[in-house]
Amino acid sequence: MELMGSTLTAEYTRPKTSQYFPAISNMVSSYRSNQPVLAMNPSANQPWRTNAYYRTGSTAAIPSLSSIQRENLGFDLVRAKTMFYPSNRSAMITRYTPDDWYKSNQSNYRESESSRNSAERLRRDTIRLMQDKEQLTRRTQETTSKNIGERLNDISFWKSELNHEIDNMVSEIMALTEVKRRLERALQETEGPLQVSQECLYHREKRMSIDLVHDNVEKDLIREVETIKSCQERMRRHLDKAIAQLASNRAAQHELERDLSDKVTAQRIDNRCHHLRNASDGISYYRGIERLDPSLSLPDSWSKFTDDNILHSQSERAASHKLRDVIEILLNVTSNEMWKHFNTVNVAFTNRMSETADAKNSLQTHLAKTLQEIFQTEMLIESLKKALRDKECPLKVAQTRLDERTRRPNVELCRDNPHHRLVGEVREIEDTIHKLRERLMEAENTLQKLVKTKAALEHDLSIKANSLFLDQEKCMGIRKSFPSTPRLVGYT
């Protein structure tokens, strides 16, 4: 403790020294004067006697009690001003006895021996302490190096696990990416069949009149469109799942790579620390570094962190592998479903075209017969007209005869057999003409019916021809380009 402003005579400001002789230590402090520097006379030699005493001593006068008391009372005040004169030594009164001198020497001897023994014990203890601490420091350093080496082994183990898992994850990402590409190609390939089916429905809407029926072909086409749209919806749903799974896989890969990067950095640092020795370059003091604890984990949490990352990656890989299997099954199922409906529609088209062709052939046959019947009816009408014309002259002859016979005179105007026969002949001819006219009317009506039938047959025939053209040329023509199975599963 350092006290500022204390007096020079205060005892606690001076080091404790021997009462007989000055310190003999070789320390620098032993050569340091503890007295203040005073402007003293070189002849001064006794700091504890006043000038008045020396003056009286030179006359061999014994100082009085009162003067000694006054001197003792003012000793502390005048000590700093006392002048020492070596020439006055012979005039000094003796301070110690020989016994005191002997005791002082013996005390110094004992103190010297005790100091030497203490110094020797201290030296031995210090050497032993230094050796023990050296061994302890060496063992501690070896233990630390061993721990760092074990830590390096742990880091190497987890590095190998991380590298293995990263390789597996990269392979899984590549496999899932390839499956996703196949799914995208398969989804794109379904656009063609869907467009074909919709165009077939649009073309069949151009059918006319009675052929615009909701037949099996149309039902199968509608089911085919629904099937393709359902397949597309399932593909899009699994495509979204694949994209999300790829994002999860890449996130897990990123965590693994970041963990691996941290372990590479930690391994480099620990490896450098493991090879540091006492004679290594680059070592230095870092005061207070042992009190700094920037740790973010413990060994258990450290290994658990990497283990959790690996487990998370493995779970993502398992989910990705399962999704790949599901997508593979989906591609095969959708391909089979679309091919099945494609073949079903084609069979329905074939059956419908066969029915339409048969109906068309039947119509053509009936039309031919109708035309033949129309021709015969027309010939019959012509024959009836000719027969009516042929009956005009006999009727005229019979009526002319009757008219001429009415001009007979008087009694000659007799209703005789010729008269009866002429009347019957006229009635018979008129009845024949009436029947012929009825038949002519019937023939003309029949002809009109035949003409209408012919028109209906021709119209129906044109309808069938149009339907057959739409089904055979328009629909089946574009259905020849249905994608193959490898393309539907996304391989090409």
Side-chain angles (χ1 to χ4, degrees), residues 139-183:
R139 286 196 302 269
T140 303
Q141 191 178 77
E142 290 175 356
T143 303
T144 304
S145 298
K146 181 180 177 181
N147 292 335
I148 294 177
E150 292 175 354
R151 179 69 172 181
L152 286 172
N153 292 333
D154 293 341
I155 293 176
S156 298
F157 169 75
W158 286 114
K159 269 185 58 182
S160 63
E161 293 294 323
L162 287 171
N163 282 321
H164 179 69
E165 185 60 29
I166 287 174
D167 293 339
N168 291 336
M169 178 57 73
V170 170
S171 300
E172 181 61 32
I173 289 175
M174 293 176 62
L176 184 59
T177 303
E178 179 61 26
V179 171
K180 184 178 77 72
R181 290 197 190 99
R182 287 177 51 201
L183 185 60

Side-chain angles (χ1 to χ4, degrees), residues 238-484:
H238 284 78
L239 183 60
D240 294 337
K241 290 182 181 179
I243 294 173
Q245 186 62 49
L246 277 176
S248 299
N249 290 352
R250 291 192 178 99
Q253 180 189 1
H254 175 71
E255 291 296 328
L256 293 174
E257 290 176 347
R258 185 175 64 177
D259 194 2
L260 179 62
S261 176
D262 293 343
K263 281 180 172 47
V264 169
T265 303
Q267 186 182 32
R268 184 175 64 252
I269 294 173
D270 286 348
N271 189 48
R272 186 168 63 249
C273 294
H274 184 66
H275 288 86
L276 281 179
R277 297 294 181 267
N278 295 333
S280 300
D281 296 332
I283 59 176
S284 179
Y285 287 109
Y286 297 92
R287 300 296 181 186
I289 191 65
E290 69 279 358
R291 293 189 298 272
L292 181 63
D293 187 13
S295 302
L296 297 178
S297 63
L298 297 174
D300 292 339
S301 62
W302 174 78
S303 59
K304 186 176 183 301
F305 177 78
T306 303
D307 189 47
D308 290 343
N309 285 337
I310 293 176
L311 290 177
H312 177 66
S313 176
Q314 289 176 349
S315 65
E316 293 296 338
R317 282 197 300 111
S320 178
H321 188 274
K322 182 178 179 181
L323 180 61
R324 285 195 294 113
D325 293 340
V326 171
I327 291 176
E328 289 285 351
I329 295 173
L330 174 66
L331 290 175
N332 292 326
V333 169
T334 54
S335 174
N336 293 333
E337 287 181 359
M338 286 188 288
W339 264 106
K340 178 181 177 181
H341 283 279
F342 174 76
N343 293 327
T344 301
V345 172
N346 287 347
V347 170
F349 263 114
T350 302
N351 294 334
R352 185 61 178 173
M353 287 188 297
S354 177
E355 293 176 356
T356 305
D358 293 341
K360 182 183 176 182
N361 293 333
S362 297
L363 287 174
Q364 288 176 344
T365 302
H366 285 282
L367 179 60
K369 291 180 179 180
T370 301
L371 291 175
Q372 181 65 29
E373 190 64 30
I374 288 173
F375 175 74
Q376 292 179 356
T377 303
E378 288 177 348
M379 294 297 294
L380 176 62
I381 291 172
E382 291 297 328
S383 298
L384 288 173
K385 289 180 178 181
K386 182 176 182 301
L388 287 173
R389 288 195 302 270
D390 291 341
K391 294 297 184 289
E392 290 177 357
C393 293
L395 180 60
K396 290 178 181 181
V397 172
Q399 288 178 351
T400 302
R401 285 175 178 178
L402 284 174
D403 182 71
E404 289 294 331
R405 285 176 63 86
T406 58
R407 295 184 182 91
R408 286 179 302 168
N410 298 320
V411 74
E412 291 298 324
L413 193 61
C414 179
R415 185 177 297 171
D416 51 6
N417 287 332
H419 178 78
H420 291 292
R421 186 59 186 167
L422 285 174
V423 171
E425 182 180 5
V426 170
R427 289 177 178 175
E428 181 180 353
I429 293 173
E430 288 179 351
D431 182 63
T432 301
I433 292 173
H434 178 70
K435 289 182 178 181
L436 289 175
R437 286 177 178 174
E438 287 180 354
R439 291 299 177 87
L440 178 61
M441 187 177 296
E442 291 178 359
E444 289 177 351
N445 292 333
T446 301
L447 180 60
Q448 290 180 358
K449 290 180 180 179
L450 290 173
V451 170
K452 289 180 180 180
T453 301
K454 169 180 171 293
L457 290 174
E458 289 177 347
H459 179 68
D460 200 7
L461 189 62
S462 64
I463 291 174
K464 297 296 184 292
N466 178 68
S467 299
L468 192 61
F469 173 77
L470 292 175
D471 290 345
Q472 189 172 4
E473 300 296 333
K474 293 292 186 179
C475 295
M476 293 303 293
I478 61 176
R479 292 184 67 85
K480 295 179 181 179
S481 60
F482 196 80
S484 60

Side-chain angles (χ1 to χ4, degrees), residues 179-180 182-192 194-195 198 225-245 323 327 330-331 334:
V179 171
K180 184 178 77 72
R182 287 177 51 201
L183 185 60
E184 290 174 347
R185 288 195 294 264
L187 179 60
Q188 187 177 3
E189 288 294 334
T190 58
E191 294 295 332
L194 178 62
Q195 185 177 0
Q198 290 176 343
V225 171
E226 292 176 352
T227 300
I228 295 175
K229 288 183 177 180
S230 175
C231 294
Q232 288 180 342
E233 180 63 26
R234 283 181 287 172
M235 288 180 180
R236 290 191 184 97
R237 187 166 59 251
H238 284 78
L239 183 60
D240 294 337
K241 290 182 181 179
I243 294 173
Q245 186 62 49
L323 180 61
I327 291 176
L330 174 66
L331 290 175
T334 54

Side-chain angles (χ1 to χ4, degrees), residues 30-135:
S30 65
Y31 299 101
R32 191 177 298 158
S33 176
N34 295 304
Q35 298 295 335
V37 179
L38 302 176
M40 301 169 58
N41 193 330
S43 63
N45 60 356
Q46 291 295 330
W48 60 283
R49 294 302 185 196
T50 63
N51 293 333
Y53 175 76
Y54 294 124
R55 286 196 296 272
T56 59
S58 62
T59 61
I62 299 174
S64 64
L65 179 60
S66 61
S67 64
I68 292 175
Q69 290 176 347
R70 286 194 303 269
E71 289 173 356
N72 289 334
L73 291 172
F75 172 73
D76 290 335
L77 297 175
V78 302
R79 186 177 180 182
K81 299 181 180 180
T82 304
M83 306 300 291
F84 305 99
Y85 300 97
S87 62
N88 293 333
R89 278 184 197 276
S90 61
M92 293 173 56
I93 296 175
T94 304
R95 293 177 292 173
Y96 304 105
T97 64
D99 189 36
D100 293 334
W101 179 83
Y102 177 76
K103 290 180 179 180
S104 175
N105 289 336
Q106 292 298 324
S107 176
N108 287 333
Y109 298 155
R110 286 192 301 271
E111 185 177 356
S112 175
E113 186 176 359
S114 176
S115 298
R116 289 196 309 274
N117 291 334
S118 298
E120 185 177 359
R121 283 195 306 271
L122 178 63
R123 187 174 65 256
R124 288 196 304 267
D125 293 343
T126 303
I127 291 173
R128 185 167 57 251
L129 177 65
M130 289 189 298
Q131 291 175 352
D132 293 342
K133 294 303 179 181
E134 176 65 22
Q135 293 177 1

